[in-house]
Amino acid sequence: MLTKFLTGYKKHALLSGYVEIGETLEDTIKREVSEEVGLSVHNIRYYSSQPRAFTHSSLMGLTAELDKDLAINLETDEISKAQWFDLEYD
């Protein structure tokens, strides 16, 4: 699992972003991962979603596999630190 640290924020957060007009969820995941940590992903799968009543939007979770085992290349305008964590599947 790859998480990001927001500047000045001391808790873990998953990579995230907004879907642009005309963009698929898969394209959004590829773009956001590339923009924020400089990595390329494939085999993107839907995980879950929930409504966000306050913003009248939906929060969607997807998973993906890394194309190549490369070093993380941060976009420091958005995040200050990113790292991998082991995720055990049941």
Side-chain angles (χ1 to χ4, degrees):
M1 175 188 332
L2 182 66
T3 63
K4 68 178 180 179
F5 292 89
L6 303 172
T7 302
Y9 188 71
K10 302 296 183 195
K11 302 220 182 226
H12 295 100
L14 296 173
L15 294 177
S16 62
Y18 291 96
V19 178
E20 294 182 357
I21 294 172
E23 190 175 49
T24 66
L25 292 176
E26 293 82 4
D27 289 342
T28 300
I29 297 302
K30 289 178 182 180
R31 177 180 52 77
E32 288 292 342
V33 170
S34 177
E35 286 177 0
E36 294 188 12
V37 291
L39 299 173
S40 182
V41 296
H42 69 280
N43 198 20
I44 299 163
R45 297 174 306 272
Y46 171 83
Y47 175 74
S48 185
S49 64
Q50 69 181 47
R52 304 280 296 180
F54 181 72
T55 59
H56 305 291
S57 62
S58 295
L59 178 63
M60 297 180 194
L62 293 97
T63 61
E65 295 178 17
L66 190 59
D67 284 347
K68 294 180 184 176
D69 191 13
L70 301 172
I72 295 169
N73 183 17
L74 289 180
E75 172 52 55
T76 56
D77 289 346
E78 294 190 33
I79 58 178
S80 61
K81 182 179 179 182
Q83 68 187 69
W84 291 103
F85 292 89
D86 289 329
L87 179 65
E88 295 194 18
Y89 292 97
D90 293 324

